[in-house]
């Protein structure tokens, strides 16, 4: 066995391990690397831990959401649902009325027919026609197809509101 530093006084202090690497046998006064000095460390006494997690003295509702919070969330959800239903059933602006279902479906069928006719007209533009005139016709027909498509999107919804016409 190697002699300890107490048994071998002839070993210089530079050859001994540095104080950073020494382990102190005393738990009362240990070297703390972060502080760079010896600090006193007290060991906790068994059973004297006052934390809630280890003591087990939690109240009976520990970890549960309080009822006033759940009640408030439910009330907020009910109010939002009520507002959403009111927005769906009410006209979006004054002067608008709900379009009847039969009228909406009739308009959709007219839009389909107009779309088919416009596509046929686009295909029937002759190649022998003046390029500028053909380009103008093609642009006009494509613009009309875009209008038909946008209108179809509007009339495809379940509820369509239109402006009220006064037949006075």
């Amino acid at each position: 066995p190697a002699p300890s530093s107490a048994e071998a006084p002839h070993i210089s202090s530079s050859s001994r391990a540095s104080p950073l690497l020494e382990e102190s046998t005393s738990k009362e006064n240990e070297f703390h690397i972060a502080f760079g000095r010896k600090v006193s460390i007290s060991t906790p006494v068994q059973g004297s831990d006052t934390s809630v997690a280890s003591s087990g003295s939690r109240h009976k509702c520990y970890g549960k959401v309080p009822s006033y919070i759940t009640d408030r969330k439910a009330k907020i959800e009910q109010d939002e649902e009520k507002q959403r239903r009111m927005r769906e059933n009410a006209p979006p602006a004054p002067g608008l009325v709900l379009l009847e279902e039969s009228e909406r479906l009739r308009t959709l069928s007219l839009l389909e027919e107009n779309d088919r006719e416009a596509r046929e007209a686009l295909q029937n533009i002759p190649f022998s026609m003046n390029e500028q005139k053909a380009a103008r016709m093609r642009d006009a027909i494509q613009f009309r197809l875009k209008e038909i498509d946008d209108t179809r999107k509007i009339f495809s919804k379940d509820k369509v509101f239109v402006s009220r016409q006064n037949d006075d």
Side-chain angles (χ1 to χ4, degrees):
S4 68
S5 61
E7 294 175 350
H10 63 277
I11 299 175
S12 69
S13 64
S14 62
S15 66
R16 287 191 317 190
S18 70
L20 292 175
L21 299 177
E22 281 185 15
E23 286 189 29
S24 175
T25 57
S26 169
K27 293 288 182 185
E28 307 294 318
N29 203 7
E30 287 190 3
F31 186 81
H32 195 282
I33 295 175
F35 293 136
R37 59 186 166 88
K38 288 187 177 186
V39 293
S40 67
I41 299 174
S42 61
T43 58
V45 179
Q46 186 82 11
S48 69
D49 192 8
T50 59
S51 71
V52 174
S54 64
S55 68
S57 62
R58 296 181 178 142
H59 57 85
K60 64 180 179 180
C61 296
Y62 182 79
K64 294 182 182 176
V65 178
S67 61
Y68 71 93
I69 293 178
T70 55
D71 294 343
R72 179 70 178 140
K73 282 184 179 181
K75 185 179 183 321
I76 289 171
E77 288 176 5
Q78 288 174 353
D79 290 345
E80 288 175 352
E81 179 66 23
K82 185 178 178 183
Q83 290 291 332
R84 186 187 59 78
R85 275 188 266 120
M86 287 177 64
R87 279 193 308 267
E88 286 177 355
N89 294 333
L96 296 180
V97 294
L98 182 64
L99 188 66
E100 293 180 14
E101 185 68 15
S102 60
E103 184 69 21
R104 185 183 72 84
L105 294 175
R106 190 172 66 80
T107 304
L108 276 173
S109 65
L110 285 173
L111 287 170
E112 290 294 328
E113 184 180 329
N114 288 340
D115 182 70
R116 185 178 39 80
E117 290 173 0
R119 290 190 188 280
E120 286 177 9
L122 187 62
Q123 290 175 352
N124 292 334
I125 295 177
F127 288 111
S128 61
M129 187 182 287
N130 182 356
E131 283 186 34
Q132 291 178 349
K133 185 176 180 182
R136 281 195 306 267
M137 286 179 66
R138 197 173 301 112
D139 289 344
I141 293 172
Q142 287 175 344
F143 181 77
R144 177 71 182 136
L145 284 171
K146 184 174 178 350
E147 283 181 334
I148 291 171
D149 190 45
D150 292 343
T151 308
R152 185 183 307 138
K153 286 179 185 176
I154 292 170
F155 280 89
S156 295
K157 295 179 181 178
D158 292 337
K159 294 181 180 182
V160 178
F161 293 96
V162 294
S163 61
R164 188 178 313 175
Q165 294 179 352
N166 294 330
D167 294 332
D168 295 327

